[in-house]
Amino acid sequence: RQGNQNPEVNIYRYVTESTFDAYLYQTVENKQKFISQVMTSRTPLRSCDDVDESVLSYAEVKALCIGDSRIKEKMELDIDVNKLKVLEASFKDQRYALQDKLRKSLPASISATEHKIELLEQDVATSERTKGADFQMTVMGHKFGLDGDGKPRKQEAGEALLAAAQTFGNNQGTIGEYRGFKMSFYTDQAFGKVYLNLQGATTHNVELGTSASGNLTRIENAINGIPQRLEEVRGQLANYHSQVKATEEELQKEFPYAEELKEKSARLAQLNTELTMQERNQSPVQEPPQPAPDEPEVEISEEPPKLENPFEVRANPEIAEAVNFRGVPEQNDKVHFGISETKSPLSEQTIRDMKLVETPVIYLNPRTDGQQYKGEILHVDKEQGYCVQLSGKHSLFVHSLEKLERVPEVGENLKLSYPHDEGHKATITIQEAQTRRRCRK
C-alpha cells in the first residue's frame, strides 16, 4: 500500500465461529467457483449466474447472527442444488445427442457401410478370379504380357506407368487396365504425391513411388488385400449395430440424481418459506380498522342476493354495498358477486392466510385462453387440486392442476402457457435465470 516502507508484511485473517464470517467466506468461495466456470471448460454449462444477485434478507441475517442452523443448511443446499442442476443439464444434453445419433447418424452410417460391403464383395470376386493368371497389363493402349522366353514384362510395364504419370498427370481418365481393374491417376497437389486409382465396383488407391518394379508390387498387394479390407468394413458394420444397442439401453436410463434433486429443492423451498415467514411474524401486526360509532353497519349474508337481472344493483344501493360493488355497471358489463363461475372451495382469504407474500393481489380464476404466466411456484395442494404462482412481487395466480400438463414442484420458476383450444392442457416450461451483473464505481 501507499506509504508502506516494509519489504515484507504478514497478513492475518481472524474469523469467529458461529458468526457472519462464515457467510462472507462462503460468498468469496462462490465467486471463485463462478470465475472458474467461465475460465475453464470443465463444466457443461453455457451460462452461469453471478453470486452478487444472492442477498440475505433481514430475517436470514438475524438467524445467522444468533447461530440459526437453518442458514448453514440453506447455503449448503444452494450449492448442492446448483451442482445437481448442472449434472441434470449435462445429462439432458447427452440424451438429446444420443437421440439424434440413434435417429440420424447411425442409420446413415449403417446404410453406407452395407452398400460398401456389397461393392467390396464384387471386387473380391474379381481379384479371386484373376489371381494366379499370367501377367497382363495395358498402359496407354500398349499391352505388356509375357516375353519370348515366357517371362512377365513387369519392368517395362512399370516404366510405362511412370512415364504416363509424368506425362498426363491428373484427371486423364482411364489409362489402362490390370486384373480386371481400370487404372487412372490422381495427383495430390498439396503434398506432391501421385496415386493410382484401381476402379472396380469401388475405388482402391495406391501411392506410386519412383521405382517401376516397386509400383507393380504395390498394385499387386492392393488387389490381393481387398478381402482383408472387406473384413475390416464388416467389423465396422458390427460396431455400428453394437452402438445402436448401447444407445437404446442408455436412453432407457433416467437421471440418477433426480430424486435427490427433488428432495433438496423441496427442502430449500421450505427453508426459504420458513425464513420469510419468520420475518413476517416478527413485523408489527396491524389491527383492522374499526367502523366509526355513528357509521351504520351493513349486515352481509353468507350467500349473495339472487337477482334475476344483475343490473338491479344500480337500483338497490344496499345490495351494491353488501356485495362490495364498486361503481355503476353498464349494460354490457358482466357483474359478479364475489363468487367464481366455477365453484371452488378456495377464497382470497384462504390464500391470504398462507402469507406467501406481503399485500398480495390474488387472481383465483386467471384467464386461460392463450394466456401465459411466468413466475415461481410458491404452494402446491394436490388434494384440493391447485397451485399458487408468484408473478412480479405481489401478484398471486391460482391455477387448477387439471388444466396443467403436469404437477409443478414448489420452488420451480415456470412459464405456464395455456392454449387457445380449451380441450388441451397448459404446457410447462422451466425458466432459467439470466445472468445480470452490477457495475460498481
Side-chain angles (χ1 to χ4, degrees), residues 123-156:
D123 288 347
V124 168
T126 301
S127 65
E128 293 294 334
R129 186 176 64 252
T130 58
K131 188 176 183 180
D134 293 337
F135 178 78
Q136 184 71 34
M137 176 179 285
T138 302
V139 180
M140 301 305 297
H142 298 282
K143 295 183 179 181
F144 299 90
L146 302 178
D147 58 10
D149 298 331
K151 296 181 180 179
R153 299 167 59 190
K154 292 184 178 182
Q155 183 67 27
E156 297 179 22

PDB file of all heavy atoms in Angstrom, residues 123-156:
ATOM      1  N   ASP A 123     -15.606 -56.791 -55.877  1.00  0.00           N
ATOM      2  CA  ASP A 123     -14.178 -56.657 -56.173  1.00  0.00           C
ATOM      3  C   ASP A 123     -13.387 -57.872 -55.679  1.00  0.00           C
ATOM      4  O   ASP A 123     -12.377 -58.261 -56.299  1.00  0.00           O
ATOM      5  CB  ASP A 123     -13.627 -55.378 -55.547  1.00  0.00           C
ATOM      6  CG  ASP A 123     -14.104 -54.142 -56.280  1.00  0.00           C
ATOM      7  OD1 ASP A 123     -14.640 -54.293 -57.394  1.00  0.00           O
ATOM      8  OD2 ASP A 123     -13.960 -53.030 -55.734  1.00  0.00           O
ATOM      9  N   VAL A 124     -13.814 -58.442 -54.543  1.00  0.00           N
ATOM     10  CA  VAL A 124     -13.153 -59.658 -54.063  1.00  0.00           C
ATOM     11  C   VAL A 124     -13.325 -60.788 -55.086  1.00  0.00           C
ATOM     12  O   VAL A 124     -12.374 -61.538 -55.374  1.00  0.00           O
ATOM     13  CB  VAL A 124     -13.723 -60.070 -52.694  1.00  0.00           C
ATOM     14  CG1 VAL A 124     -13.266 -61.469 -52.321  1.00  0.00           C
ATOM     15  CG2 VAL A 124     -13.274 -59.083 -51.614  1.00  0.00           C
ATOM     16  N   ALA A 125     -14.510 -60.913 -55.656  1.00  0.00           N
ATOM     17  CA  ALA A 125     -14.736 -61.945 -56.682  1.00  0.00           C
ATOM     18  C   ALA A 125     -13.852 -61.708 -57.897  1.00  0.00           C
ATOM     19  O   ALA A 125     -13.295 -62.662 -58.485  1.00  0.00           O
ATOM     20  CB  ALA A 125     -16.215 -61.944 -57.077  1.00  0.00           C
ATOM     21  N   THR A 126     -13.657 -60.437 -58.285  1.00  0.00           N
ATOM     22  CA  THR A 126     -12.795 -60.126 -59.432  1.00  0.00           C
ATOM     23  C   THR A 126     -11.342 -60.480 -59.133  1.00  0.00           C
ATOM     24  O   THR A 126     -10.632 -61.055 -59.977  1.00  0.00           O
ATOM     25  CB  THR A 126     -12.916 -58.631 -59.776  1.00  0.00           C
ATOM     26  OG1 THR A 126     -14.269 -58.321 -60.085  1.00  0.00           O
ATOM     27  CG2 THR A 126     -12.048 -58.281 -60.981  1.00  0.00           C
ATOM     28  N   SER A 127     -10.864 -60.131 -57.941  1.00  0.00           N
ATOM     29  CA  SER A 127      -9.464 -60.424 -57.591  1.00  0.00           C
ATOM     30  C   SER A 127      -9.219 -61.920 -57.482  1.00  0.00           C
ATOM     31  O   SER A 127      -8.150 -62.423 -57.878  1.00  0.00           O
ATOM     32  CB  SER A 127      -9.106 -59.727 -56.271  1.00  0.00           C
ATOM     33  OG  SER A 127      -9.860 -60.271 -55.192  1.00  0.00           O
ATOM     34  N   GLU A 128     -10.191 -62.681 -56.950  1.00  0.00           N
ATOM     35  CA  GLU A 128     -10.031 -64.127 -56.837  1.00  0.00           C
ATOM     36  C   GLU A 128     -10.036 -64.788 -58.217  1.00  0.00           C
ATOM     37  O   GLU A 128      -9.340 -65.788 -58.458  1.00  0.00           O
ATOM     38  CB  GLU A 128     -11.145 -64.717 -55.981  1.00  0.00           C
ATOM     39  CG  GLU A 128     -11.097 -64.292 -54.518  1.00  0.00           C
ATOM     40  CD  GLU A 128      -9.873 -64.834 -53.817  1.00  0.00           C
ATOM     41  OE1 GLU A 128      -9.351 -65.880 -54.255  1.00  0.00           O
ATOM     42  OE2 GLU A 128      -9.428 -64.214 -52.830  1.00  0.00           O
ATOM     43  N   ARG A 129     -10.817 -64.237 -59.151  1.00  0.00           N
ATOM     44  CA  ARG A 129     -10.910 -64.810 -60.488  1.00  0.00           C
ATOM     45  C   ARG A 129      -9.620 -64.633 -61.279  1.00  0.00           C
ATOM     46  O   ARG A 129      -9.238 -65.493 -62.086  1.00  0.00           O
ATOM     47  CB  ARG A 129     -12.081 -64.152 -61.228  1.00  0.00           C
ATOM     48  CG  ARG A 129     -12.358 -64.774 -62.599  1.00  0.00           C
ATOM     49  CD  ARG A 129     -13.578 -64.171 -63.263  1.00  0.00           C
ATOM     50  NE  ARG A 129     -13.391 -62.766 -63.554  1.00  0.00           N
ATOM     51  CZ  ARG A 129     -13.979 -61.775 -62.922  1.00  0.00           C
ATOM     52  NH1 ARG A 129     -14.814 -62.048 -61.907  1.00  0.00           N
ATOM     53  NH2 ARG A 129     -13.763 -60.508 -63.244  1.00  0.00           N
ATOM     54  N   THR A 130      -8.914 -63.510 -61.068  1.00  0.00           N
ATOM     55  CA  THR A 130      -7.684 -63.228 -61.833  1.00  0.00           C
ATOM     56  C   THR A 130      -6.426 -63.608 -61.074  1.00  0.00           C
ATOM     57  O   THR A 130      -5.319 -63.387 -61.578  1.00  0.00           O
ATOM     58  CB  THR A 130      -7.634 -61.731 -62.179  1.00  0.00           C
ATOM     59  OG1 THR A 130      -7.676 -60.964 -60.959  1.00  0.00           O
ATOM     60  CG2 THR A 130      -8.809 -61.337 -63.051  1.00  0.00           C
ATOM     61  N   LYS A 131      -6.573 -64.135 -59.883  1.00  0.00           N
ATOM     62  CA  LYS A 131      -5.404 -64.496 -59.082  1.00  0.00           C
ATOM     63  C   LYS A 131      -4.706 -65.713 -59.689  1.00  0.00           C
ATOM     64  O   LYS A 131      -5.344 -66.721 -60.006  1.00  0.00           O
ATOM     65  CB  LYS A 131      -5.835 -64.800 -57.656  1.00  0.00           C
ATOM     66  CG  LYS A 131      -4.673 -65.004 -56.707  1.00  0.00           C
ATOM     67  CD  LYS A 131      -5.190 -65.194 -55.281  1.00  0.00           C
ATOM     68  CE  LYS A 131      -4.026 -65.337 -54.309  1.00  0.00           C
ATOM     69  NZ  LYS A 131      -4.519 -65.519 -52.909  1.00  0.00           N
ATOM     70  N   GLY A 132      -3.401 -65.615 -59.879  1.00  0.00           N
ATOM     71  CA  GLY A 132      -2.617 -66.716 -60.450  1.00  0.00           C
ATOM     72  C   GLY A 132      -2.597 -66.745 -61.961  1.00  0.00           C
ATOM     73  O   GLY A 132      -1.927 -67.607 -62.554  1.00  0.00           O
ATOM     74  N   ALA A 133      -3.284 -65.819 -62.634  1.00  0.00           N
ATOM     75  CA  ALA A 133      -3.279 -65.791 -64.104  1.00  0.00           C
ATOM     76  C   ALA A 133      -1.973 -65.172 -64.610  1.00  0.00           C
ATOM     77  O   ALA A 133      -1.212 -64.545 -63.860  1.00  0.00           O
ATOM     78  CB  ALA A 133      -4.483 -64.995 -64.608  1.00  0.00           C
ATOM     79  N   ASP A 134      -1.677 -65.381 -65.890  1.00  0.00           N
ATOM     80  CA  ASP A 134      -0.472 -64.807 -66.481  1.00  0.00           C
ATOM     81  C   ASP A 134      -0.533 -63.288 -66.425  1.00  0.00           C
ATOM     82  O   ASP A 134      -1.612 -62.677 -66.496  1.00  0.00           O
ATOM     83  CB  ASP A 134      -0.328 -65.273 -67.930  1.00  0.00           C
ATOM     84  CG  ASP A 134      -0.056 -66.763 -68.023  1.00  0.00           C
ATOM     85  OD1 ASP A 134       0.445 -67.324 -67.021  1.00  0.00           O
ATOM     86  OD2 ASP A 134      -0.356 -67.350 -69.074  1.00  0.00           O
ATOM     87  N   PHE A 135       0.643 -62.672 -66.299  1.00  0.00           N
ATOM     88  CA  PHE A 135       0.728 -61.223 -66.210  1.00  0.00           C
ATOM     89  C   PHE A 135       0.210 -60.592 -67.493  1.00  0.00           C
ATOM     90  O   PHE A 135       0.613 -60.962 -68.597  1.00  0.00           O
ATOM     91  CB  PHE A 135       2.179 -60.807 -65.962  1.00  0.00           C
ATOM     92  CG  PHE A 135       2.369 -59.316 -65.900  1.00  0.00           C
ATOM     93  CD1 PHE A 135       2.028 -58.604 -64.765  1.00  0.00           C
ATOM     94  CD2 PHE A 135       2.880 -58.618 -67.002  1.00  0.00           C
ATOM     95  CE1 PHE A 135       2.205 -57.243 -64.710  1.00  0.00           C
ATOM     96  CE2 PHE A 135       3.047 -57.256 -66.950  1.00  0.00           C
ATOM     97  CZ  PHE A 135       2.709 -56.558 -65.803  1.00  0.00           C
ATOM     98  N   GLN A 136      -0.695 -59.626 -67.307  1.00  0.00           N
ATOM     99  CA  GLN A 136      -1.253 -58.923 -68.458  1.00  0.00           C
ATOM    100  C   GLN A 136      -1.681 -57.531 -67.988  1.00  0.00           C
ATOM    101  O   GLN A 136      -2.588 -57.386 -67.181  1.00  0.00           O
ATOM    102  CB  GLN A 136      -2.460 -59.664 -69.028  1.00  0.00           C
ATOM    103  CG  GLN A 136      -3.046 -59.058 -70.294  1.00  0.00           C
ATOM    104  CD  GLN A 136      -2.146 -59.248 -71.512  1.00  0.00           C
ATOM    105  OE1 GLN A 136      -1.453 -60.279 -71.622  1.00  0.00           O
ATOM    106  NE2 GLN A 136      -2.102 -58.288 -72.409  1.00  0.00           N
ATOM    107  N   MET A 137      -0.996 -56.480 -68.491  1.00  0.00           N
ATOM    108  CA  MET A 137      -1.305 -55.099 -68.119  1.00  0.00           C
ATOM    109  C   MET A 137      -1.349 -54.247 -69.368  1.00  0.00           C
ATOM    110  O   MET A 137      -0.496 -54.383 -70.257  1.00  0.00           O
ATOM    111  CB  MET A 137      -0.277 -54.535 -67.143  1.00  0.00           C
ATOM    112  CG  MET A 137      -0.502 -53.060 -66.784  1.00  0.00           C
ATOM    113  SD  MET A 137       0.711 -52.389 -65.613  1.00  0.00           S
ATOM    114  CE  MET A 137       0.127 -53.137 -64.085  1.00  0.00           C
ATOM    115  N   THR A 138      -2.321 -53.338 -69.419  1.00  0.00           N
ATOM    116  CA  THR A 138      -2.450 -52.409 -70.536  1.00  0.00           C
ATOM    117  C   THR A 138      -2.211 -51.000 -70.025  1.00  0.00           C
ATOM    118  O   THR A 138      -2.843 -50.568 -69.040  1.00  0.00           O
ATOM    119  CB  THR A 138      -3.855 -52.496 -71.157  1.00  0.00           C
ATOM    120  OG1 THR A 138      -4.090 -53.835 -71.579  1.00  0.00           O
ATOM    121  CG2 THR A 138      -3.973 -51.552 -72.338  1.00  0.00           C
ATOM    122  N   VAL A 139      -1.242 -50.275 -70.655  1.00  0.00           N
ATOM    123  CA  VAL A 139      -0.920 -48.890 -70.286  1.00  0.00           C
ATOM    124  C   VAL A 139      -0.944 -48.040 -71.536  1.00  0.00           C
ATOM    125  O   VAL A 139      -0.143 -48.274 -72.465  1.00  0.00           O
ATOM    126  CB  VAL A 139       0.454 -48.793 -69.586  1.00  0.00           C
ATOM    127  CG1 VAL A 139       0.747 -47.345 -69.211  1.00  0.00           C
ATOM    128  CG2 VAL A 139       0.504 -49.689 -68.349  1.00  0.00           C
ATOM    129  N   MET A 140      -1.846 -47.075 -71.616  1.00  0.00           N
ATOM    130  CA  MET A 140      -1.986 -46.145 -72.739  1.00  0.00           C
ATOM    131  C   MET A 140      -2.075 -46.896 -74.069  1.00  0.00           C
ATOM    132  O   MET A 140      -1.434 -46.549 -75.060  1.00  0.00           O
ATOM    133  CB  MET A 140      -0.813 -45.157 -72.760  1.00  0.00           C
ATOM    134  CG  MET A 140      -0.685 -44.325 -71.486  1.00  0.00           C
ATOM    135  SD  MET A 140      -2.197 -43.415 -71.058  1.00  0.00           S
ATOM    136  CE  MET A 140      -2.347 -42.318 -72.468  1.00  0.00           C
ATOM    137  N   GLY A 141      -2.852 -47.957 -74.078  1.00  0.00           N
ATOM    138  CA  GLY A 141      -3.075 -48.729 -75.291  1.00  0.00           C
ATOM    139  C   GLY A 141      -2.032 -49.777 -75.574  1.00  0.00           C
ATOM    140  O   GLY A 141      -2.205 -50.591 -76.504  1.00  0.00           O
ATOM    141  N   HIS A 142      -0.936 -49.801 -74.832  1.00  0.00           N
ATOM    142  CA  HIS A 142       0.129 -50.793 -75.039  1.00  0.00           C
ATOM    143  C   HIS A 142      -0.069 -51.945 -74.053  1.00  0.00           C
ATOM    144  O   HIS A 142      -0.224 -51.717 -72.846  1.00  0.00           O
ATOM    145  CB  HIS A 142       1.516 -50.164 -74.849  1.00  0.00           C
ATOM    146  CG  HIS A 142       1.805 -49.060 -75.825  1.00  0.00           C
ATOM    147  ND1 HIS A 142       2.183 -49.296 -77.143  1.00  0.00           N
ATOM    148  CD2 HIS A 142       1.765 -47.696 -75.685  1.00  0.00           C
ATOM    149  CE1 HIS A 142       2.368 -48.144 -77.758  1.00  0.00           C
ATOM    150  NE2 HIS A 142       2.126 -47.156 -76.902  1.00  0.00           N
ATOM    151  N   LYS A 143      -0.035 -53.163 -74.553  1.00  0.00           N
ATOM    152  CA  LYS A 143      -0.215 -54.327 -73.726  1.00  0.00           C
ATOM    153  C   LYS A 143       1.130 -54.935 -73.361  1.00  0.00           C
ATOM    154  O   LYS A 143       1.990 -55.109 -74.219  1.00  0.00           O
ATOM    155  CB  LYS A 143      -1.065 -55.371 -74.449  1.00  0.00           C
ATOM    156  CG  LYS A 143      -2.501 -54.913 -74.711  1.00  0.00           C
ATOM    157  CD  LYS A 143      -3.313 -56.015 -75.368  1.00  0.00           C
ATOM    158  CE  LYS A 143      -4.745 -55.562 -75.606  1.00  0.00           C
ATOM    159  NZ  LYS A 143      -5.578 -56.629 -76.235  1.00  0.00           N
ATOM    160  N   PHE A 144       1.282 -55.249 -72.095  1.00  0.00           N
ATOM    161  CA  PHE A 144       2.517 -55.849 -71.589  1.00  0.00           C
ATOM    162  C   PHE A 144       2.139 -57.190 -70.966  1.00  0.00           C
ATOM    163  O   PHE A 144       1.420 -57.242 -69.959  1.00  0.00           O
ATOM    164  CB  PHE A 144       3.183 -54.943 -70.553  1.00  0.00           C
ATOM    165  CG  PHE A 144       3.573 -53.596 -71.080  1.00  0.00           C
ATOM    166  CD1 PHE A 144       2.684 -52.523 -71.027  1.00  0.00           C
ATOM    167  CD2 PHE A 144       4.820 -53.398 -71.669  1.00  0.00           C
ATOM    168  CE1 PHE A 144       3.046 -51.282 -71.520  1.00  0.00           C
ATOM    169  CE2 PHE A 144       5.177 -52.163 -72.176  1.00  0.00           C
ATOM    170  CZ  PHE A 144       4.293 -51.098 -72.097  1.00  0.00           C
ATOM    171  N   GLY A 145       2.613 -58.254 -71.601  1.00  0.00           N
ATOM    172  CA  GLY A 145       2.334 -59.593 -71.101  1.00  0.00           C
ATOM    173  C   GLY A 145       3.624 -60.359 -70.876  1.00  0.00           C
ATOM    174  O   GLY A 145       4.517 -59.911 -70.135  1.00  0.00           O
ATOM    175  N   LEU A 146       3.774 -61.507 -71.567  1.00  0.00           N
ATOM    176  CA  LEU A 146       4.968 -62.325 -71.434  1.00  0.00           C
ATOM    177  C   LEU A 146       5.883 -62.098 -72.628  1.00  0.00           C
ATOM    178  O   LEU A 146       5.412 -61.830 -73.743  1.00  0.00           O
ATOM    179  CB  LEU A 146       4.569 -63.809 -71.363  1.00  0.00           C
ATOM    180  CG  LEU A 146       3.614 -64.202 -70.224  1.00  0.00           C
ATOM    181  CD1 LEU A 146       3.279 -65.695 -70.323  1.00  0.00           C
ATOM    182  CD2 LEU A 146       4.235 -63.870 -68.871  1.00  0.00           C
ATOM    183  N   ASP A 147       7.196 -62.176 -72.397  1.00  0.00           N
ATOM    184  CA  ASP A 147       8.157 -62.015 -73.491  1.00  0.00           C
ATOM    185  C   ASP A 147       8.345 -63.346 -74.219  1.00  0.00           C
ATOM    186  O   ASP A 147       7.628 -64.333 -73.959  1.00  0.00           O
ATOM    187  CB  ASP A 147       9.488 -61.475 -72.960  1.00  0.00           C
ATOM    188  CG  ASP A 147      10.109 -62.360 -71.908  1.00  0.00           C
ATOM    189  OD1 ASP A 147       9.598 -63.500 -71.726  1.00  0.00           O
ATOM    190  OD2 ASP A 147      11.078 -61.934 -71.246  1.00  0.00           O
ATOM    191  N   GLY A 148       9.346 -63.398 -75.106  1.00  0.00           N
ATOM    192  CA  GLY A 148       9.580 -64.610 -75.882  1.00  0.00           C
ATOM    193  C   GLY A 148       9.984 -65.786 -75.030  1.00  0.00           C
ATOM    194  O   GLY A 148       9.726 -66.951 -75.398  1.00  0.00           O
ATOM    195  N   ASP A 149      10.612 -65.515 -73.912  1.00  0.00           N
ATOM    196  CA  ASP A 149      11.030 -66.601 -73.017  1.00  0.00           C
ATOM    197  C   ASP A 149       9.949 -66.981 -72.025  1.00  0.00           C
ATOM    198  O   ASP A 149      10.181 -67.810 -71.122  1.00  0.00           O
ATOM    199  CB  ASP A 149      12.301 -66.193 -72.267  1.00  0.00           C
ATOM    200  CG  ASP A 149      13.465 -65.943 -73.214  1.00  0.00           C
ATOM    201  OD1 ASP A 149      13.464 -66.586 -74.290  1.00  0.00           O
ATOM    202  OD2 ASP A 149      14.341 -65.116 -72.876  1.00  0.00           O
ATOM    203  N   GLY A 150       8.776 -66.354 -72.109  1.00  0.00           N
ATOM    204  CA  GLY A 150       7.672 -66.676 -71.175  1.00  0.00           C
ATOM    205  C   GLY A 150       7.766 -65.949 -69.855  1.00  0.00           C
ATOM    206  O   GLY A 150       7.069 -66.308 -68.901  1.00  0.00           O
ATOM    207  N   LYS A 151       8.624 -64.906 -69.781  1.00  0.00           N
ATOM    208  CA  LYS A 151       8.752 -64.141 -68.538  1.00  0.00           C
ATOM    209  C   LYS A 151       7.858 -62.893 -68.616  1.00  0.00           C
ATOM    210  O   LYS A 151       7.724 -62.281 -69.666  1.00  0.00           O
ATOM    211  CB  LYS A 151      10.203 -63.735 -68.322  1.00  0.00           C
ATOM    212  CG  LYS A 151      11.143 -64.913 -68.129  1.00  0.00           C
ATOM    213  CD  LYS A 151      12.563 -64.428 -67.889  1.00  0.00           C
ATOM    214  CE  LYS A 151      13.521 -65.596 -67.685  1.00  0.00           C
ATOM    215  NZ  LYS A 151      14.918 -65.146 -67.465  1.00  0.00           N
ATOM    216  N   PRO A 152       7.260 -62.485 -67.491  1.00  0.00           N
ATOM    217  CA  PRO A 152       6.383 -61.301 -67.490  1.00  0.00           C
ATOM    218  C   PRO A 152       7.190 -60.031 -67.707  1.00  0.00           C
ATOM    219  O   PRO A 152       8.289 -59.872 -67.162  1.00  0.00           O
ATOM    220  CB  PRO A 152       5.726 -61.338 -66.112  1.00  0.00           C
ATOM    221  CG  PRO A 152       6.632 -62.137 -65.262  1.00  0.00           C
ATOM    222  CD  PRO A 152       7.302 -63.148 -66.160  1.00  0.00           C
ATOM    223  N   ARG A 153       6.641 -59.135 -68.484  1.00  0.00           N
ATOM    224  CA  ARG A 153       7.321 -57.863 -68.781  1.00  0.00           C
ATOM    225  C   ARG A 153       6.909 -56.805 -67.749  1.00  0.00           C
ATOM    226  O   ARG A 153       6.409 -55.735 -68.075  1.00  0.00           O
ATOM    227  CB  ARG A 153       6.936 -57.424 -70.190  1.00  0.00           C
ATOM    228  CG  ARG A 153       7.352 -58.416 -71.262  1.00  0.00           C
ATOM    229  CD  ARG A 153       6.686 -58.106 -72.572  1.00  0.00           C
ATOM    230  NE  ARG A 153       7.023 -56.761 -73.042  1.00  0.00           N
ATOM    231  CZ  ARG A 153       6.437 -56.153 -74.071  1.00  0.00           C
ATOM    232  NH1 ARG A 153       5.470 -56.801 -74.741  1.00  0.00           N
ATOM    233  NH2 ARG A 153       6.794 -54.948 -74.441  1.00  0.00           N
ATOM    234  N   LYS A 154       7.106 -57.086 -66.458  1.00  0.00           N
ATOM    235  CA  LYS A 154       6.712 -56.182 -65.384  1.00  0.00           C
ATOM    236  C   LYS A 154       7.540 -54.915 -65.374  1.00  0.00           C
ATOM    237  O   LYS A 154       7.020 -53.827 -65.112  1.00  0.00           O
ATOM    238  CB  LYS A 154       6.809 -56.887 -64.034  1.00  0.00           C
ATOM    239  CG  LYS A 154       5.790 -57.994 -63.850  1.00  0.00           C
ATOM    240  CD  LYS A 154       5.876 -58.576 -62.443  1.00  0.00           C
ATOM    241  CE  LYS A 154       4.822 -59.662 -62.228  1.00  0.00           C
ATOM    242  NZ  LYS A 154       4.853 -60.206 -60.861  1.00  0.00           N
ATOM    243  N   GLN A 155       8.842 -55.038 -65.648  1.00  0.00           N
ATOM    244  CA  GLN A 155       9.707 -53.867 -65.627  1.00  0.00           C
ATOM    245  C   GLN A 155       9.282 -52.876 -66.696  1.00  0.00           C
ATOM    246  O   GLN A 155       9.187 -51.665 -66.431  1.00  0.00           O
ATOM    247  CB  GLN A 155      11.165 -54.276 -65.823  1.00  0.00           C
ATOM    248  CG  GLN A 155      12.166 -53.140 -65.741  1.00  0.00           C
ATOM    249  CD  GLN A 155      12.252 -52.543 -64.351  1.00  0.00           C
ATOM    250  OE1 GLN A 155      11.978 -53.222 -63.357  1.00  0.00           O
ATOM    251  NE2 GLN A 155      12.621 -51.262 -64.269  1.00  0.00           N
ATOM    252  N   GLU A 156       9.008 -53.356 -67.883  1.00  0.00           N
ATOM    253  CA  GLU A 156       8.584 -52.459 -68.963  1.00  0.00           C
ATOM    254  C   GLU A 156       7.231 -51.822 -68.638  1.00  0.00           C
ATOM    255  O   GLU A 156       7.011 -50.635 -68.896  1.00  0.00           O
ATOM    256  CB  GLU A 156       8.501 -53.239 -70.267  1.00  0.00           C
ATOM    257  CG  GLU A 156       9.833 -53.808 -70.733  1.00  0.00           C
ATOM    258  CD  GLU A 156       9.697 -54.592 -72.016  1.00  0.00           C
ATOM    259  OE1 GLU A 156       8.710 -54.354 -72.742  1.00  0.00           O
ATOM    260  OE2 GLU A 156      10.559 -55.450 -72.279  1.00  0.00           O
TER     261      GLU A 156
END
